[in-house]
């Protein structure tokens, strides 16, 4: 039975009633700009066939963007991407046997379609990555700029800003090799974890590093929601630059009108995933899963103006009261940063590279924007494993990079403190909280879909980067073993 069949079976009278309630509560304020209108309250309740159609089209749109990124950012073949990355158990509602696709390398765009359906196109801009176009659009609605690194080649600079002298000797080499053998041998894992890159840093140097066949230290790989932790770093840099009080009302113009309850949202609430904005995130058994009503995921498959979408949401909860892992929080933070740069005449698309990535030698980072020029940093982010390790090292060092402080001293403590609404989460980083028994209590993590993970362990002066494709379960026990073996190998 296909996933689409499973979804159809989940539609019931209760599900239909829930869908009707969702529609009635989906009214939002006027859009900022060019945001496609939400389903009207007067619209007919979607049929099961219509919901199936939405899931199929949304799935194809997502895969057009992912195929584009895999080809033009990671440098993989479209056939390899489709076979190895785009057959996952969730978010896959179209039949590849019925799906037609083209990769236009000269025009740098990827298109997916099926007979009788819509056409979904993602376009690539060098150094900016891929943007999913709204249906019917031929180009993005912003002026692309170059954000390539201004640094010399990594081979010309010493680690950590460059790649020279990157390898350290503060670990037991034989134990580290055994750990890597374990991590990459899927015959010893049940189910297979498909690890593609693994790096361990100790005392700022690489003490273990390996890549699966077909992958290398020079290949940018997706971090998915690890991008949310990039946002934590960028907010810290912004706080140092501006003195922003994260406990004051967030500087979002749309929320500051008299009588607007969203005016109570603070930057700290957003960091803690407790902003309280309504943003539907139905689970896989819901009638609404991956339909046009799936707000949380729609930032990846609708070609929307994501800033307009999130800033126009009403409140669902009192700010700070409820933990909800929602893209609204991160994208609201990015809107604050974007508009602050625009107000001072700076370019928001180049700011992260100049203020963060170039500072730490992370030359490969690509933050992909939507078709309107807003970073979709909640999931559309790519970098090499070494550059993810550099970012982890910056966190380990509390923003201090070779004598230059990028964010205020103590920012790591601020974002590592537990959210009052859920102790498992901090300020856009995850806290260990007993998840991994072999990791100390002070460990924090960037975490992304399919179990992309960067673990920072301040008490052991360690950073562990693991990138891969784990969609079959069993990751946490596996990674706990990797962490335990790695820490045991540290002298």
């Amino acid at each position: 039975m296909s996933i689409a069949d499973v979804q159809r079976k989940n539609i019931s009278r209760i599900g239909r009633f829930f869908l009707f309630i969702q529609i009635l509560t989906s009214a939002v304020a006027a859009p900022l700009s060019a945001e496609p209108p939400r389903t009207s309250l007067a619209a007919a309740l979607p049929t099961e066939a219509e919901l199936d159609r939405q899931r199929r089209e949304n799935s194809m749109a997502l895969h057009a963007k992912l195929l584009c990124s895999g080809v033009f950012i990671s440098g993989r073949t479209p056939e390899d991407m489709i076979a190895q990355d785009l057959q996952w158990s969730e978010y896959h509602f179209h039949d590849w046997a019925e799906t037609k696709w083209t990769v236009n390398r000269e025009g740098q765009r990827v298109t997916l379609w099926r007979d009788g359906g819509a056409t979904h196109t993602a376009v690539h801009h060098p150094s900016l990555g891929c943007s999913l176009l709204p249906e019917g659009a031929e180009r993005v609605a912003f002026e692309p700029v170059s954000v390539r690194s201004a640094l010399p080649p990594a081979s010309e600079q010493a680690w950590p800003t460059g790649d020279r002298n990157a390898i350290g000797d503060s670990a037991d080499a034989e134990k580290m090799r055994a750990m890597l053998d374990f991590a990459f041998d899927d015959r010893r894992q049940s189910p297979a974890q498909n690890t593609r890159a693994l790096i361990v840093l100790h005392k700022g140097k690489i003490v273990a590093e390996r890549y699966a066949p077909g992958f290398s230290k020079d290949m940018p790989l997706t971090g998915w929601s690890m991008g949310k932790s990039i946002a934590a770093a960028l907010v810290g840099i912004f706080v140092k630059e501006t003195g922003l009080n994260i406990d004051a009302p967030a500087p979002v113009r749309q929320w500051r009108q008299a009588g607007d309850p969203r005016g109570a949202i603070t930057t700290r609430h957003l960091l803690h995933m407790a902003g309280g904005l309504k943003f539907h995130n139905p689970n896989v058994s819901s009638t609404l899963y991956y339909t046009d009503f799936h707000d949380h995921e729609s930032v990846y498959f609708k070609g929307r103006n994501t800033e307009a979408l999130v800033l126009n949401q009403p409140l669902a909860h009192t700010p700070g009261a409820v933990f909800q892992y929602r893209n609204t929080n991160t994208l609201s933070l990015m809107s604050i940063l974007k508009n602050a740069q625009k107000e001072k005449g700076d370019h928001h698309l180049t700011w992260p590279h100049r203020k963060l990535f170039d500072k730490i030698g992370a030359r490969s980072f690509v933050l992909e924007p939507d078709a309107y020029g807003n970073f979709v940093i909640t999931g559309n982010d790519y970098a090499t494993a070494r550059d993810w390790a550099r970012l982890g090292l910056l966190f380990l060092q509390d923003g201090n990079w070779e004598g230059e402080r990028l964010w205020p001293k103590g920012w790591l403590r601020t974002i590592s403190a537990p959210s009052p609404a859920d102790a498992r989460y901090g300020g856009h980083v995850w806290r260990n909280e007993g998840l991994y028994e072999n990791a100390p209590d002070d460990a924090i993590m960037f975490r992304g879909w399919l179990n992309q993970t960067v673990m920072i362990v301040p008490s052991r002066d360690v950073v562990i980067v693991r990138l891969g494709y784990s969609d079959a379960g069993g990751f946490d026990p596996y990674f706990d073993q990797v962490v335990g073996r790695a820490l045991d190998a540290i002298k």
Side-chain angles (χ1 to χ4, degrees):
M1 181 181 292
S2 70
I3 291 176
D5 291 334
V6 173
Q7 301 303 319
R8 280 191 287 271
K9 286 183 176 295
N10 281 326
I11 295 174
S12 62
R13 290 182 179 179
I14 295 175
R16 301 280 289 170
F17 175 74
F18 176 65
L19 173 58
F20 179 69
I21 295 300
Q22 296 276 24
I23 294 175
L24 289 178
T25 57
S26 291
V28 296
L32 296 174
S33 63
E35 163 65 8
R38 301 294 301 272
T39 302
S40 167
L41 296 180
L45 196 67
T47 63
E48 295 179 21
E50 168 60 16
L51 293 173
D52 279 344
R53 185 199 69 81
Q54 290 181 14
R55 275 187 284 271
R56 184 170 56 249
E57 296 296 341
N58 292 340
S59 173
M60 292 178 67
L62 171 75
H63 286 74
K65 205 295 296 180
L66 293 175
L67 185 58
C68 180
S69 300
V71 169
F72 291 110
I73 299 176
S74 298
R76 299 169 64 189
T77 67
E79 293 79 9
D80 180 57
M81 279 293 299
I82 291 172
Q84 301 298 325
D85 283 40
L86 305 182
Q87 305 283 351
W88 46 17
S89 56
E90 293 184 33
Y91 308 155
H92 182 206
F93 296 95
H94 68 283
D95 187 344
W96 278 105
E98 300 176 355
T99 301
K100 302 176 182 179
W101 57 269
T102 61
V103 174
N104 182 342
R105 294 187 181 274
E106 183 178 357
Q108 299 206 325
R109 55 180 57 209
V110 169
T111 300
L112 266 64
W113 76 99
R114 65 189 297 274
D115 292 339
T119 297
H120 306 284
T121 298
V123 59
H124 175 256
H125 296 100
S127 74
L128 278 179
C130 295
S131 300
L132 179 65
L133 298 178
E135 288 186 25
E138 291 296 320
R139 64 181 303 275
V140 295
F142 68 95
E143 192 62 37
V145 297
S146 175
V147 293
R148 293 194 183 280
S149 173
L151 296 172
S155 61
E156 297 179 8
Q157 289 185 292
W159 181 269
T161 305
D163 280 345
R164 287 194 294 107
N165 302 321
I167 309 303
D169 60 0
S170 61
D172 184 310
E174 187 172 329
K175 285 186 175 182
M176 277 299 187
R177 278 194 298 271
M179 180 276 293
L180 292 170
D181 291 342
F182 168 82
F184 282 85
D185 187 355
D186 280 335
R187 295 170 300 179
R188 299 168 67 180
Q189 320 304 335
S190 182
Q193 295 303 316
N194 299 308
T195 290
R196 293 170 172 176
L198 184 59
I199 292 179
V200 179
L201 303 184
H202 181 234
K203 296 184 177 179
K205 294 272 194 172
I206 297 174
V207 293
E209 182 177 25
R210 188 176 292 181
Y211 301 88
F215 301 86
S216 74
K217 71 177 183 64
D218 299 316
M219 180 184 286
L221 297 173
T222 180
W224 287 101
S225 285
M226 293 204 301
K228 293 178 171 73
S229 298
I230 300 174
L234 293 173
V235 172
I237 292 169
F238 183 72
V239 168
K240 182 176 183 293
E241 284 190 347
T242 65
L244 174 72
N245 179 1
I246 65 172
D247 290 312
V252 177
R253 175 179 54 81
Q254 291 76 15
W255 302 345
R256 303 301 296 276
Q257 307 304 313
D260 192 329
R262 297 174 301 179
I265 300 173
T266 68
T267 303
R268 192 186 296 271
H269 292 148
L270 298 173
L271 285 166
H272 281 162
M273 289 286 176
L277 294 175
K278 177 180 288 185
F279 217 49
H280 303 311
N281 188 28
N283 63 35
V284 69
S285 65
S286 169
T287 314
L288 302 176
Y289 186 73
Y290 240 65
T291 69
D292 292 357
F293 300 94
H294 195 159
D295 295 330
H296 180 73
E297 299 292 344
S298 72
V299 301
Y300 308 123
F301 61 62
K302 291 305 291 185
R304 281 175 165 154
N305 181 330
T306 55
E307 181 184 41
L309 176 67
V310 302
L311 296 189
N312 284 306
Q313 296 297 319
L315 275 183
H317 306 283
T318 301
V322 178
F323 173 84
Q324 284 190 305
Y325 189 76
R326 297 291 186 271
N327 288 330
T328 44
N329 297 286
T330 312
L331 295 176
S332 295
L333 292 171
M334 295 307 294
S335 175
I336 292 170
L337 302 184
K338 168 190 171 181
N339 289 297
Q341 305 318 310
K342 291 175 66 175
E343 287 176 7
K344 67 179 186 179
D346 206 347
H347 205 300
H348 76 283
L349 290 175
T350 65
W351 187 78
H353 289 262
R354 288 183 287 106
K355 297 296 185 177
L356 173 58
F357 301 136
D358 276 3
K359 297 286 188 180
I360 65 173
R363 297 161 174 81
S364 70
F365 265 101
V366 176
L367 303 182
E368 296 178 302
D370 64 23
Y372 301 88
N374 308 297
F375 287 128
V376 190
I377 202 171
T378 54
N380 294 356
D381 44 88
Y382 287 74
T384 64
R386 284 195 172 193
D387 280 350
W388 284 113
R390 287 182 171 97
L391 186 63
L393 184 59
L394 178 70
F395 277 69
L396 183 70
Q397 297 170 164
D398 192 18
N400 187 20
W401 195 266
E402 298 193 303
E404 181 179 3
R405 176 156 291 287
L406 302 190
W407 62 50
K409 186 176 181 179
W411 182 249
L412 179 66
R413 183 173 61 252
T414 296
I415 60 175
S416 298
S419 164
D422 194 319
R424 296 172 301 171
Y425 203 73
H428 269 49
V429 296
W430 290 92
R431 306 175 73 248
N432 189 24
E433 285 298 306
L435 177 61
Y436 297 117
E437 294 182 359
N438 290 320
D441 291 342
D442 67 334
I444 61 170
M445 290 158 286
F446 316 159
R447 303 194 76 186
W449 179 245
L450 299 173
N451 294 297
Q452 318 314 314
T453 303
V454 174
M455 176 180 280
I456 298 111
V457 189
S459 61
R460 296 295 300 273
D461 203 0
V462 164
V463 174
I464 302 174
V465 176
R466 183 273 176 189
L467 305 175
Y469 189 96
S470 300
D471 74 333
F475 176 78
D476 288 336
Y478 156 79
F479 190 62
D480 198 26
Q481 285 287 312
V482 170
V483 170
R485 290 167 183 251
L487 294 180
D488 181 60
I490 300 295
K491 295 179 181 176

